[in-house]
Amino acid sequence: MMNTRSLRFRITAWYAGLLAGTLLVFGASVYLGLERYLDWNLQRTLAGECRAIGTQLLSQLPDKDVTWLTREITEAYAPEVNGLFIRVVHQEGEVLYLSGAPKDGTFDPRRIPFPRDKEMDGSRKLQFESGNRLLINSITVTTAAGTRFIVESGAPYHQIEVVLHGLLLTLAIYMPFVVSLAVAGGYWLMRRSLQPVDEITKRAEGITSTNLSERLPVIRSGDELERLSMSLNRMIERLDNAFEQINRFSADASHELRTPLTILQLELEGIAQNHRRDAALGDQIGSALEETHRMSRIVESLLTISRLDAGEVKMEKSRLDLGELAASTAGEMKLLAEERSIGLRIRAENGVHVLGDRVRLQQIIVNLVDNSIKYTQVGGMIEVRVDREGNSAILIVSDNGLGIPAHALPHVFERFYRADKARSRATGGAGLGLSIVKAICAAHNGEIKVSSQEGRGSSFRVELPLSPLFVNDRPSVVLREV
Ligand SMILES: Nc1ncnc2c1ncn2[C@@H]1O[C@H](COP(=O)(O)OP(=O)(O)OP(=O)(O)O)[C@@H](O)[C@H]1O
Ligand SMILES: [Mg+2]
């Protein structure tokens, strides 16, 4: 879950960064390109004006006078109104025409210096204290009569700046808007396309060796996700088959061992009968019989576990009072505990009903109490408790015995696992009791947990779903309604 969420955030962040970067580069190039274009365009216009004044007006000068020139320029360009700067200077330095101050007062034409030699026939930029800038183009014009004039035409940069500022403002407003829109859309798309991954993850988390028959949802999208879910399902199927084979093998092996073991036992018992008077042989056969009994128990346990795991056991499920079952079962084991001077206390809540197989649930209690008796020192104490917690029935078997070392705790439910091999062997355990308990719990949709401290004691807690109300339980409610 967490991973797909962070993947979603990561990809969206990358996407947002890339998009913002691209837009920024795009905006900057548009801005710079437009600035250069407007600059070039203004220069061209100004040069055109200068040339027009030179060819159309100055060429007629010896015939026409300065007043005519002034009127013509004012009429054609209206510099004061348009905020333009125009100046015509005679080769001898006399200013023939100078435009008036523009209406908006951005510059004072009288204070504009004459172009230096290197600034002739080109453009220059002037900056005023007010911050306004003026672009001035100047050319030299030589009339047919051989007189030279300097014609200058200028316009404030201000107009270009207004356009550029407008563009900047538009970009500044729209870019974050476009980026957030794209990010929100991208995030939504990502979430939609990654949702199946969340689902697959959730389902895959729930698949264990006990429910390998389940499959992951297949997303019919025809893309990588469909292929992934299908190949995961094929993998689960292979695991399922492998597990089934292992289970089948244990079940078959234990089943096959049953008959020869029974025959062996019968044979041994027969020999013991025939040689009743030979004490030494009787002892030997007795211990051989003991071992075959032990082997039978192991084989039976193995068969039970494999069948439970394979789901082959037909459960005779009925509604049971777990408290009553615990009390009667533990009561039967009281003698066993007393033999070792161990106290056995039972505290069961009334009316904790579960839906289960009586014999199997009894086996859970027997195995747990049997362990507690075996692994508690003389004079110890065992407690069996049945409670209700929410929708669950709780069975707790705790003792103040030897306890289980922390390193062994995660393994006690494994087949043939014994925390202390020497100790268990002396008490005759094979390490299968808890495996059976766990398999029965799983078959009842329950679970078992253990907590223990070495030297202090252990506590096994079984959680089973409470039985739903039966039809038989309803009449009282119906009667009340009537
Ligand atoms: N109440 C307990 N106190 C201390 N150790 C325990 C307790 N219950 C189980 N154990 C440890 O867990 C191991 C596994 O228990 P499990 O019941 O599966 O096997 P077992 O008792 O050795 O043999 P079996 O039950 O097959 O006769 C035991 O060998 C023991 O070391
Ligand atoms: Mg046991």
Side-chain angles (χ1 to χ4, degrees):
M1 271 311 257
M2 200 194 78
N3 286 340
T4 52
R5 179 170 303 145
S6 67
L7 179 70
R8 251 181 347 231
F9 281 129
R10 236 183 20 236
I11 294 183
T12 314
W14 267 103
Y15 172 61
L18 269 175
L19 187 71
T22 315
L23 279 180
L24 225 59
V25 171
F26 171 74
S29 27
V30 167
Y31 182 90
L32 291 176
L34 187 67
E35 186 185 31
R36 284 190 58 168
Y37 170 74
L38 290 175
D39 199 41
W40 171 81
N41 203 34
L42 186 62
Q43 275 185 37
R44 217 178 54 139
T45 313
L46 294 176
E49 276 170 21
C50 290
R51 250 179 283 122
I53 292 173
T55 51
Q56 287 162 19
L57 306 177
L58 297 181
S59 56
Q60 306 185 33
L61 256 203
D63 307 329
K64 307 274 169 80
D65 61 356
V66 173
T67 325
W68 171 84
L69 179 72
T70 306
R71 200 181 60 236
E72 285 295 312
I73 293 179
T74 314
E75 256 175 30
Y77 302 106
E80 291 83 7
V81 181
N82 294 328
L84 296 175
F85 164 73
I86 296 177
R87 180 162 63 186
V88 180
V89 185
H90 191 266
Q91 64 186 22
E92 255 122 53
E94 184 197 350
V95 177
L96 297 185
Y97 175 83
L98 177 65
S99 56
K103 287 240 161 57
D104 54 7
T106 40
F107 61 89
D108 181 0
R110 282 166 305 175
R111 290 181 56 198
I112 293 177
F114 291 105
R116 277 170 279 175
D117 285 347
K118 65 172 189 279
E119 289 168 347
M120 277 306 193
D121 296 312
S123 60
R124 66 189 197 275
K125 267 181 202 153
L126 286 182
Q127 172 121 28
F128 302 102
E129 293 101 22
S130 57
N132 291 321
R133 286 184 301 164
L134 202 64
L135 184 69
I136 302 175
N137 194 76
S138 51
I139 60 167
T140 46
V141 178
T142 311
T143 58
T147 323
R148 235 163 47 101
F149 298 94
I150 300 167
V151 183
E152 290 168 277
S153 166
Y157 217 69
H158 178 66
Q159 288 161 7
I160 292 182
E161 277 166 356
V162 167
V163 176
L164 289 176
H165 274 152
L167 175 70
L168 210 61
L169 199 71
T170 315
L171 288 179
I173 291 174
Y174 279 98
M175 248 195 312
F177 178 70
V178 168
V179 170
S180 20
L181 202 74
V183 166
Y187 184 76
W188 179 75
L189 273 179
M190 188 90 63
R191 227 181 61 172
R192 238 183 62 147
S193 50
L194 283 183
Q195 200 164 4
V197 178
D198 275 353
E199 226 162 90
I200 293 178
T201 314
K202 235 184 273 164
R203 283 277 276 280
E205 291 280 350
I207 293 185
T208 61
S209 62
T210 53
N211 59 349
L212 272 174
S213 55
E214 277 186 29
R215 291 290 176 271
L216 302 175
V218 174
I219 310 121
R220 298 266 166 230
S221 50
D223 57 12
E224 293 87 342
L225 282 183
E226 180 174 342
R227 284 208 299 281
L228 175 72
S229 48
M230 278 168 62
S231 53
L232 280 175
N233 273 343
R234 280 197 293 273
M235 184 185 83
I236 296 171
E237 197 174 326
R238 287 195 295 275
L239 281 175
D240 193 12
N241 289 340
F243 264 85
E244 210 181 294
Q245 270 178 24
I246 295 169
N247 259 331
R248 184 115 308 282
F249 172 76
S250 324
D252 290 349
S254 4
H255 188 76
E256 291 303 317
L257 284 172
R258 258 171 147 188
T259 323
L261 262 175
T262 317
I263 296 171
L264 195 62
Q265 269 172 26
L266 290 174
E267 294 281 346
L268 282 172
E269 276 160 14
I271 298 172
Q273 283 278 325
N274 296 340
H275 297 82
R276 241 171 300 165
R277 259 154 289 152
D278 190 338
L281 187 66
D283 274 358
Q284 273 182 339
I285 293 175
S287 80
L289 258 175
E290 215 172 273
E291 286 304 312
T292 52
H293 281 308
R294 201 171 119 77
M295 226 151 112
S296 287
R297 276 202 309 277
I298 294 175
V299 165
E300 282 307 320
S301 299
L302 262 183
L303 192 61
T304 309
I305 297 171
S306 332
R307 285 186 170 165
L308 278 169
D309 279 356
E312 280 176 9
V313 180
K314 180 92 189 71
M315 293 275 167
E316 301 284 333
K317 280 190 182 170
S318 60
R319 192 171 188 247
L320 301 167
D321 186 324
L322 189 64
E324 251 174 50
L325 190 74
S328 62
T329 314
E332 283 166 23
M333 299 180 78
K334 211 160 182 140
L335 269 178
L336 218 63
E338 274 165 8
E339 264 176 31
R340 302 196 61 222
S341 311
I342 293 172
L344 178 58
R345 199 164 55 201
I346 301 149
R347 258 180 40 199
E349 204 179 296
N350 269 337
V352 181
H353 289 102
V354 294
L355 200 60
D357 183 314
R358 173 176 283 273
V359 180
R360 303 283 169 194
L361 290 183
Q362 238 166 355
Q363 193 162 17
I364 292 185
I365 301 161
V366 168
N367 283 11
L368 291 180
V369 174
D370 173 62
N371 277 351
S372 284
I373 295 174
K374 272 198 298 192
Y375 306 116
T376 298
Q377 66 285 14
V378 171
M381 189 71 210
I382 300 170
E383 188 182 60
V384 180
R385 254 169 56 196
V386 174
D387 290 317
R388 186 203 315 257
E389 230 180 73
N391 283 330
S392 303
I394 311 286
L395 167 78
I396 296 175
V397 178
S398 51
D399 60 59
N400 61 355
L402 308 177
I404 304 165
H407 68 85
L409 264 187
H411 306 290
V412 290
F413 297 107
E414 289 168 14
R415 294 178 198 183
F416 294 112
Y417 184 86
R418 291 170 313 205
D420 181 343
K421 304 241 152 57
R423 194 176 76 197
S424 295
R425 186 132 191 105
T427 48
L432 289 172
L434 288 179
S435 305
I436 295 180
V437 171
K438 188 163 184 193
I440 297 176
C441 282
H444 282 82
N445 300 322
E447 55 178 318
I448 178 162
K449 285 186 189 132
V450 56
S451 61
S452 181
Q453 257 187 324
E454 207 177 358
R456 287 272 189 88
S458 323
S459 173
F460 287 83
R461 178 192 151 99
V462 176
E463 202 174 317
L464 298 168
L466 276 178
S467 133
L469 279 183
F470 268 15
V471 188
N472 299 355
D473 297 335
R474 290 226 174 107
S476 60
V477 181
V478 175
L479 274 180
R480 228 175 284 159
E481 270 179 10
V482 171

